[in-house]
């Protein structure tokens, strides 16, 4: 999971790589990071799954440009080691 700042223009995201351009700050949010890639200029982006339904973004996913200090996705991450009790037969 990663925390980020949501800006008004993120509500209109539907494809490509999201980069903040305009609008007011809405507040904090969290998304699940599932991967990464590079755009046509070789700039890194994060692939994130959002919980705003499959009608938002690319079937519920967003590519977010890495390194945007005003979005903060690169700064607030959380992971854990699950406590799994595996028993073999």
């Amino acid at each position: 999971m990663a925390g980020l700042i949501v800006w008004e223009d993120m509500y209109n995201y539907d494809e490509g790589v999201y980069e903040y351009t305009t609008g007011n700050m809405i507040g904090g949010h969290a998304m699940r990071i599932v991967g990464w890639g590079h755009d046509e200029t070789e700039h890194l982006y994060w692939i994130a799954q959002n919980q705003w339904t499959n009608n938002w973004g690319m079937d519920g996913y967003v590519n977010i440009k890495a390194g945007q200090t005003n979005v903060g996705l690169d700064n607030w991450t959380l992971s854990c080691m699950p406590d799994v009790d595996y028993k073999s037969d």
Side-chain angles (χ1 to χ4, degrees), residues 13-48:
Y13 173 81
D14 60 358
E15 65 180 355
V17 178
Y18 171 76
E19 181 175 4
Y20 168 72
T21 56
T22 186
N24 294 318
M25 179 175 52
I26 302 300
H29 188 53
M31 293 186 194
R32 181 169 67 159
I33 304 301
V34 297
W36 55 273
H38 291 94
D39 66 14
E40 61 279 349
T41 64
E42 294 301 313
H43 195 281
L44 177 69
Y45 63 84
W46 300 109
I47 303 168

Side-chain angles (χ1 to χ4, degrees), residues 46-75:
W46 300 109
I47 303 168
Q49 182 183 23
N50 200 354
Q51 62 267 32
W52 291 348
T53 79
N54 292 348
N55 295 324
W56 177 85
M58 298 181 298
D59 293 324
Y61 289 82
V62 56
N63 298 331
I64 301 177
K65 183 177 180 180
Q68 298 182 81
T69 56
N70 53 354
V71 175
L73 187 67
D74 303 279
N75 300 325

